[in-house]
Amino acid sequence: MTRTPVNVTVTGAAGQIGYALLFRIASGHLLGPDVPVNLRLLEIPQGLKAAEGTAMELDDCAFPLLRNIEITDDANVGFAGANVALLVGARPRTKGMERGDLLSANGGIFKPQGKAINDNAADDIKVLVVGNPANTNALIAQAAAPDVPAERFTAMTRLDHNRAISQLAARTGAAVSDIKRLTIWGNHSATQYPDIFHAEIAGKNAAEVVNDEAWLADTFIPTVAKRGAAIIEARGASSAASAANAAIDHVHTWVNGTAEGDWTSMGIPSDGSYGVPEGIISSFPVTTKDGKYEIVQGLDINEFSRARIDASVQELSEERDAVRELGLI
Ligand code: NAD
Ligand code: LMR
């Protein structure tokens, strides 16, 4: 049976994450080895030429699943009929820029893109925001798309999730594949909280295996939360291949489901669970099935975790208030 191609839109397609992402989408890693894709590359005018170069390379791979590529700087064209949208293009923070300036500059990108998604995307659109500040950019886009169910707008904390698993594996000598049920709570920022109290290592409680709260507080949490900055320091550029890999993981899990007994972390509009104010886009433990996600309920949150979740959620509330004041939501 020939399947209908899925339309995948990538913004910031000519950037470094775009370059690491597009080839994996086209080779079937985003949606599955039997799902054909049409790619829509959305760039600003200055990025169009480089996007054309990337499209030439995509052609040269002769990917059996890649049906066509369209390149545009018009968001209405870029999101026309989109089933999956990866919002990667964003305005990076530059020297001397305050958080308010960054939120305002990105509002100028994510508000019109949200509206273009609202007006042009397919009914089953799923959106992943990667561009920073990812959670609040997702909120801005979602607020500009009142006809799209709010839960279709998500922000990427899967890179943090993967980083935390890797750090935990290194500390305990476990295989990555033995680690389950890790959770990232809150914002994709230095306040995020990687939680191992419900995680399992080969079926045993991870916090009990580690049994070292000082390591948790002073090494594990800051290493995961500040990993983005450490990569920038080491590479001279922010994470790209690992970020693209996490974007692939996020959408693949959303579409194809979490494994039995496991969960993942996604930035999603809060329904008020775990005391996170309704509406803000915060990372939660979620299971996914049939293209839908659900927050894992009933986890016992200890004092150590509560304080850290609250701090990150507080930052998200402040970001929401700031973009509200700027008239972006
Ligand atoms: P980059 O500067 O290499 O590329 C960004 C691209 O976006 C550029 O080609 C630029 O022309 C394009 N762009 C800018 N405004 C646009 C618009 N309005 N429409 C379409 N395209 C636009 O940056 P990068 O390294 O690819 O990173 C992209 C973003 O992802 C940054 O905000 C970065 O901080 C963020 N990031 C997030 C995570 C995460 O875990 N959530 C991880 C890594 C990076
Ligand atoms: C990352 O986590 O690698 C990115 O969000 C880049 C950054 O600024 O931390």
Side-chain angles (χ1 to χ4, degrees), residues 153-205:
F153 284 84
T154 67
M156 190 163 96
T157 53
R158 185 63 171 264
L159 179 54
D160 310 299
H161 182 97
N162 289 345
R163 286 167 171 166
I165 288 178
S166 172
Q167 292 298 322
L168 192 54
R171 158 81 188 200
T172 59
V176 159
S177 56
D178 281 337
I179 299 180
K180 311 251 180 294
R181 300 187 174 204
L182 187 125
T183 306
I184 302 293
W185 300 92
N187 201 1
H188 172 67
S189 75
T191 68
Q192 68 176 267
Y193 172 49
D195 177 358
I196 70 163
F197 286 99
H198 305 283
E200 289 177 1
I201 303 177
K204 295 198 183 80
N205 180 273

Side-chain angles (χ1 to χ4, degrees), residues 160 163 188 223-233 237-239:
D160 310 299
R163 286 167 171 166
H188 172 67
T223 299
V224 174
K226 294 181 190 159
R227 186 71 165 181
I231 301 279
I232 292 171
E233 179 66 29
S238 66
S239 61

Side-chain angles (χ1 to χ4, degrees), residues 66-113:
L66 182 56
R67 292 300 146 83
N68 73 48
I69 310 172
E70 218 171 285
I71 304 164
T72 181
D73 60 0
D74 179 342
N76 288 320
V77 175
F79 292 116
N83 305 106
V84 176
L86 303 172
L87 308 191
V88 179
R91 173 75 202 276
R93 192 203 289 259
T94 42
K95 223 175 158 191
M97 217 174 175
E98 297 300 328
R99 189 197 281 184
D101 301 333
L102 186 69
L103 291 170
S104 160
N106 278 300
I109 296 174
F110 288 88
K111 194 172 176 180
Q113 288 185 355

Side-chain angles (χ1 to χ4, degrees), residues 192-253:
Q192 68 176 267
Y193 172 49
D195 177 358
I196 70 163
F197 286 99
H198 305 283
E200 289 177 1
I201 303 177
K204 295 198 183 80
N205 180 273
E208 284 168 20
V209 173
V210 169
N211 194 25
D212 185 348
E213 202 168 290
W215 176 77
L216 257 194
D218 303 334
T219 303
F220 175 72
I221 295 170
T223 299
V224 174
K226 294 181 190 159
R227 186 71 165 181
I231 301 279
I232 292 171
E233 179 66 29
R235 289 182 80 226
S238 66
S239 61
S242 57
N245 178 67
I248 296 277
D249 284 350
H250 177 114
V251 174
H252 189 274
T253 304

